[in-house]
Amino acid sequence: MGIREQIRQALEADAASVCNLHAQHDAGHEVLDFLAGYGAISLGHNHPDVRAAVEEVLQARPPQFLLVAAQPLAAELARRLAELAPGGLDLCFFASSGSEAVEGAMKLARLATRRPRFVSALRSYHGTTLGALSVTGSERHRRPFQPLLSGAVFVPFGDAGAVERELRRRDVAAVLLEPMQGEGGMRPAPDGYLPEVARLCRRYGALLVLDEVQTGLGRCGRMFACEEEAVEPDVLLLAKGLSGGIAPISALITRRGLWERAYGTLDRYDLHCSTFGGGAVACAAAIATLEVIRRDGLVEAAARYGGYLREKIAAATAGHPLVREVRGRGLLWGIDLDAPAGGMGEDLVGQWLVVGMLERGVLTQVCADATGVVRVQPPLTVTREAIDRFALALQQTLAEHATGRWSSVAAAAARAVRSRAARAFG
Ligand code: PMP
């Protein structure tokens, strides 16, 4: 069998037994994706302009990974990102995942400041590699892998005074924050918090690293969520939506002076590098993605449709006994559920809603570190009709509780757990 046939066959393999989603697909039902690969599928699956850009690269056959010099597409992408990024952020380092971008920021901060410690927030999520995990404010994620990096401390998100208490010791290399906590349950920073932390970092000589892996590139109704309060970090991290969902790529954007302070000597210039960072295909996909976002006004659309989505979620959840709160920005929302008294735990109540939605043809998922919070993050290309369909499915699923069809809950949750486990091990 030819290689193309082998790929086609692998793509067509029957996955129905391991995943509800595939089962629905195979049965010819459309699935509305309001998870969007945790935000990676920012332009919807296989956007034609991003595919065309990738095809162009494959046709042109440039060296895919040059390494001894900047790949031309990486240089072009860096130029465009530097233009978009706030303040004087003018240097990009590319890698393949959000976690790697966080690692890069931590290493940069240690070398540039010659200081050891990191401050991050409780309930934060910065990734799965050991450094990024060390600054992730979730006991459940960290504990099994201890000992992790020493010198990482956690403060309550939103409490600038707690950050200052740590900074006063003048041994903090960086404060790492998400402008809106994602995996911790979709929690926007309180007003004034980020500008105050930025001021404190400048005062005490620590770097401010903003992890916009999830919130960046239009997701929150701004190109970068930190623009909402005009905060200029020392390091801005992007990943997920950067390539429109086609190829893995992340970016660390900082000031050239900082990078040079860290790595600007002969014995240090190569202490941080990445074999696959800045590859031609991923960079072409990212350039196309930025261009589609600009050309189609997707940042403004995220703000506009975000307002509509907020209204529809509010209407579908209003007064429901299981819904504690609805939080978010732009096209990134969380429905915070209350486990009903005398039974189901928070994990199950989240999965109950997720499975109910999937059974109505809408894909969502819970947050990694807040399993009672169901995330709502459609592609930036979402339409009003799609939001209406989502809202109807939400209302119908929640209504199951009101009409006493509560017995479906345990079975639905069990199906969800089975499909999750199958995906993890299958
Ligand atoms: N930072 C944030 C804010 C994230 O949401 C995530 C992933 N959910 C990461 C870092 C890690 O990204 P990746 O999974 O690509 O390593």
Side-chain angles (χ1 to χ4, degrees), residues 97-99 125-127 178 183 211 213-214 240:
S97 69
S99 300
Y125 188 95
H126 296 292
E178 299 155 87
E183 303 302 336
D211 180 343
V213 163
Q214 186 140 213
K240 293 202 190 287

Side-chain angles (χ1 to χ4, degrees), residues 112-293:
T113 64
R114 309 288 199 270
R115 292 173 171 192
R117 290 205 308 143
F118 298 104
V119 175
S120 61
L122 293 166
R123 288 196 173 122
S124 63
Y125 188 95
H126 296 292
T128 47
T129 49
L130 287 175
L133 192 58
S134 300
V135 293
T136 287
S138 155
E139 268 290 307
R140 188 177 77 83
H141 284 88
R142 279 200 323 274
R143 198 185 313 110
F145 301 100
Q146 276 161 356
L148 293 168
L149 270 191
S150 60
V153 291
F154 300 97
V155 292
F157 187 59
D159 182 350
V163 175
E164 184 169 20
R165 279 192 288 284
E166 297 299 333
L167 289 175
R168 273 202 203 107
R169 288 170 53 175
R170 296 187 187 267
D171 61 353
V172 173
V175 177
L176 296 100
L177 293 172
E178 299 155 87
M180 167 169 131
Q181 293 192 321
E183 303 302 336
M186 303 302 171
R187 298 168 198 280
D191 290 349
Y193 175 60
L194 293 177
E196 177 61 6
V197 173
R199 191 187 66 78
L200 291 170
C201 284
R202 276 195 300 276
R203 174 167 175 199
Y204 292 101
L207 303 191
L208 175 62
V209 177
L210 287 185
D211 180 343
E212 294 232 27
V213 163
Q214 186 140 213
T215 56
L217 297 163
R219 174 60 50 193
C220 291
R222 303 269 186 172
M223 181 53 93
F224 307 109
C226 64
E227 289 173 4
E228 191 169 320
E229 294 191 297
V231 173
E232 294 178 10
D234 300 293
V235 183
L236 177 70
L237 304 179
L238 304 173
K240 293 202 190 287
L242 183 52
S243 78
I246 294 267
I249 181 167
S250 61
L252 177 165
I253 316 176
T254 187
R255 293 190 300 277
R256 186 169 299 277
L258 267 180
W259 191 270
E260 280 172 3
R261 206 188 307 161
Y263 297 113
T265 56
L266 261 183
D267 62 331
R268 289 196 166 179
Y269 76 96
D270 60 349
L271 289 189
H272 191 65
C273 57
S274 164
T275 306
F276 291 116
V281 165
C283 287
I287 290 169
T289 300
L290 294 179
E291 186 53 17
V292 170
I293 290 174

